[in-house]
Every structure is written in structure tokens, then in C-alpha cells.
Amino acid sequence: MPPRRVVTGRSRQPRQRFAEELRLLRSRNGDSLRRLGEVLGWDWSLFGKMESGETLGGPEVVQALDQHYGTPGLLLTLWELAVGDPTQFREQYRRYMTLEAEAVSLWHYAVSAPPGLLQTGGYAREVLAADGTRGEELNQQVEARIGRRKLLERDDAPPFRIILSEAVLRTQLRDAQAWREQVEHLVEASDRSNITLHVLPFSAGPHGLMNTAVKFLRLPDGRTVAYTENDVRGELIEETSRVEPLQRLYDAVRDLALSPVKSRKFILRMLEEVPCEPST
């Protein structure tokens, strides 16, 4: 069979393809970046960053571009593919992210940080920067992490159970406002019908997952896989013989945790301790 001929020559990477399409449509339309900003009401530099791949922008600006160029749904579709593309994550996480997108239910235990699925942009940025991530890569990784939240916000969102160690709520960001927004987001998440949130207080004492964050994914074929993570490494575990002992440890930790109602009250009390921005 002869090799398949490339028809368009455009990138097959969703993020790059989205940026290419933006540049092509603007060129065909004869717009400058400044003109585009004036017409649509956004800072023109945002469009430059989107065309360079530095940022994907949000759905509102993408929908406005679709309307401006007369391409109903095209750019929004490319944007959704780019947001959900596992290749935008660091290589060691890509297999897990692919499985996460397919999961029919999820269970997490968080040792010291909110799970990526519940992180705000401000939280993700400060934590990723603390790891030494900078510049364009930082922007991309923040967007990739925030994009994962769509999994829990869609109409057919899978059930998600999360146990937060009290340490998660005690390890504040340097930016007090960003920390307040993160804690408020956890409170809002606890109200969603598909999310069950527990807090494991320090008073629960020692347990089998004290130093290990763990995530479980129930897949459409009935299998459950686990992903464990500590300060130096993460590991995707697919063998049932290794997943089951971790599930027993998780169940034991859940038995020690506060009920969802008491957990929400606990987080609200923590929120009261976060300083508000001074009024002007």
C-alpha cells in the first residue's frame, strides 16, 4: 500500500493546529493583531499569544473569533481538542491523562495539595513555578492543568470522590488572594452532585497512605488502575494484584475521614482564617 499523502501539510498536534488555524484565518481576513483587538474588545496581545501557542485563550474569545471569521464551531472544536490533548502534559503523565479522560468514576487521596482536577489557575501557577517551571512552559502547564477541570463539569461528568488530608488546607499559598480563591473553589466543588469531598483531620492519626497520594480510575472495561505519587516519583499501576491492596488502604483512610457535611464545615472554618483583600 502506498504511503498516505499529506493533504494539508498542517500540524497533527492539536495545540499547534489550533495556533496555525488562527494565523491562517487572520491572514486571509487581512486583520492585524491590533485591529482584531479593537473589533473584538480583547487586548490584541492575547491574540498574539494564542497564535504563537503560548496560550489557548478561553471559550468566549474562541467563540468570538469563530463569529468574526465566519467559521461557526470550527475554532471552538479545535480549541476543545487542544485543551484535551494529553501530549500537552509532561511525558510521564500522558498515559494517566489518557485513561483519566476515559474513566467512569474516580477516587483520589491528596496528601499535601488539592488534586489537579480541583485546582484553580492561581494555585497551579504558584505550585508549578515552585518546581522551577518558567515562561511559556509555565503558561502551557497551567492551562493544561486547568483544562482537566472540564472532565468534572461536563453533562456526563463521572462521579469523583476526593479525600483531602488536613495538610492540604494548612499549606497555604504565598498569594493570600489566590489561596482564598482555591479554598472557595473547594467549597463550591463540594456542592456538586458528582463530587464527594472528605477531609482527613490530623486527629485521625497514622494511616497507610501518610506519605503517598493515590488516584484510582474505574475504566469502561471494568478495570481499575491506580496512580501513586510522592515527592520524587509517580507510578501508574495497572496490575490488579497491586491495585487491590492500595484500594484497601484507601478504604481504611476513608473510614477515618470526616463525612461530606462535616468536611464542608471544616473547609468553611479554614476559609474564615484566610485574610481578605483590603477594601479600597
Side-chain angles (χ1 to χ4, degrees), residues 120-142:
T120 61
Y123 188 95
R125 182 169 296 277
E126 187 166 321
V127 170
L128 287 166
D131 279 345
T133 309
R134 297 287 185 272
E136 182 177 337
E137 183 186 2
L138 176 60
N139 292 332
Q140 291 182 359
Q141 290 303 315
V142 169

Side-chain angles (χ1 to χ4, degrees), residues 52-261:
S52 69
E54 185 177 344
T55 181
L56 291 174
E60 297 85 359
V61 68
V62 176
Q63 288 174 322
L65 286 166
D66 258 333
Q67 184 174 358
H68 177 70
Y69 292 131
T71 55
L74 170 63
L75 291 177
L76 188 60
T77 297
L78 292 176
W79 178 84
E80 289 175 342
L81 291 172
V83 168
D85 178 24
T87 65
Q88 67 187 309
F89 298 101
R90 292 170 177 168
E91 187 172 354
Q92 65 266 36
Y93 302 131
R94 291 178 185 173
R95 169 69 174 158
Y96 172 82
M97 296 304 174
T98 299
L99 294 176
E100 181 182 78
E102 301 171 357
V104 296
S105 59
L106 308 92
W107 308 268
H108 287 194
Y109 169 64
V111 174
S112 59
L117 288 169
L118 294 181
Q119 288 184 14
T120 61
Y123 188 95
R125 182 169 296 277
E126 187 166 321
V127 170
L128 287 166
D131 279 345
T133 309
R134 297 287 185 272
E136 182 177 337
E137 183 186 2
L138 176 60
N139 292 332
Q140 291 182 359
Q141 290 303 315
V142 169
E143 283 195 344
R145 186 165 296 187
I146 299 310
R148 292 171 60 199
R149 286 164 46 178
K150 291 173 64 68
L151 176 69
L152 299 178
E153 296 169 355
R154 67 194 193 198
D155 292 339
D156 61 341
F160 177 52
R161 183 183 296 274
I162 171 65
I163 305 172
L164 301 176
S165 166
E166 184 175 339
V168 173
L169 301 168
R170 297 289 181 186
T171 309
Q172 301 186 14
L173 297 175
R174 294 184 180 89
D175 185 331
Q177 181 58 26
W179 177 241
R180 168 171 284 277
E181 291 171 358
Q182 175 61 71
V183 179
E184 288 175 340
H185 183 65
L186 292 175
V187 174
E188 292 167 2
S190 70
D191 282 335
R192 296 185 203 166
S193 61
N194 64 309
I195 297 177
T196 304
L197 191 152
H198 301 272
V199 172
L200 181 71
F202 289 147
S203 59
H207 56 84
L209 294 175
M210 290 177 63
N211 302 308
T212 303
V214 62
K215 308 170 185 178
F216 298 97
L217 305 176
R218 183 75 168 176
L219 302 177
D221 62 6
R223 292 185 301 131
T224 298
V225 301
Y227 185 86
T228 60
E229 194 169 24
N230 56 34
D231 289 340
V232 296
R233 63 172 299 191
E235 181 183 8
L236 180 65
I237 302 171
E238 301 189 56
E239 301 90 344
T240 300
S241 61
R242 296 181 61 199
V243 171
E244 287 183 348
L246 285 169
Q247 286 183 298
R248 289 194 290 272
L249 288 175
Y250 182 89
D251 289 344
V253 170
R254 185 179 62 186
D255 290 343
L256 295 172
L258 300 177
S259 70
V261 172

Side-chain angles (χ1 to χ4, degrees), residues 32-44 47:
S32 68
L33 290 172
R34 289 186 182 277
R35 173 62 179 162
L36 200 57
E38 291 172 357
V39 172
L40 298 184
W42 274 275
D43 190 315
W44 66 270
F47 300 109

